[in-house]
Amino acid sequence: MELPKGLAGVVVDQTKVSSTKNAVLTYAGYPIKELKDAPFEEVVFLLWHTRLPSADELSEFRKRLVSEMVLPEKNRSIDHQDHL
C-alpha cells in the first residue's frame, strides 16, 4: 500500500471559521498576522463571537472579564514570614 508523505491533501474537517486559502491563515476572515498584535480581550471576543468588538463592546467585555477574575481567599492574605 502506498501512502502519501506528510499531510498535503489531507482534510481533517471543514470549517467556515478559519482558512488557509492562498497559504494565509485566517480566523473569522482576519489574517492571523493582524491578530497577533491585538489585545488579548479583543481576540477572546473574536473567538467567542467570530467578529471583532466595537470600542464600546470591548470596554464592556473587559469589565465583564475582570469581574470574573477572583483570587482565592488563601492567596489574599499571605504571611510574608512564612515565605522567607
Side-chain angles (χ1 to χ4, degrees):
M1 175 169 26
E2 190 173 322
L3 298 174
K5 293 184 179 184
L7 297 175
V10 176
V11 176
V12 176
D13 203 352
Q14 294 183 355
T15 177
K16 293 179 181 177
V17 178
S18 63
S19 171
T20 56
K21 187 175 181 179
N22 299 324
V24 175
L25 178 59
T26 62
Y27 186 84
Y30 299 94
I32 295 299
K33 285 185 178 184
E34 289 180 20
L35 297 174
K36 72 177 180 64
D37 296 321
F40 171 79
E41 300 88 347
E42 191 172 49
V43 174
V44 172
F45 189 98
L46 175 66
L47 292 172
W48 289 1
H49 301 281
T50 64
R51 65 177 179 80
L52 291 174
S54 67
D56 288 341
E57 287 174 320
L58 183 57
S59 177
E60 286 302 312
F61 189 65
R62 283 184 170 138
K63 290 176 188 175
R64 184 172 146 214
L65 287 177
V66 169
S67 74
E68 297 292 331
M69 295 176 186
V70 178
L71 187 62
E73 182 63 40
K74 68 180 183 177
N75 295 43
R76 291 185 206 171
S77 59
I78 297 174
D79 184 349
H80 295 286
Q81 291 299 322
D82 292 342
H83 301 286
L84 294 177

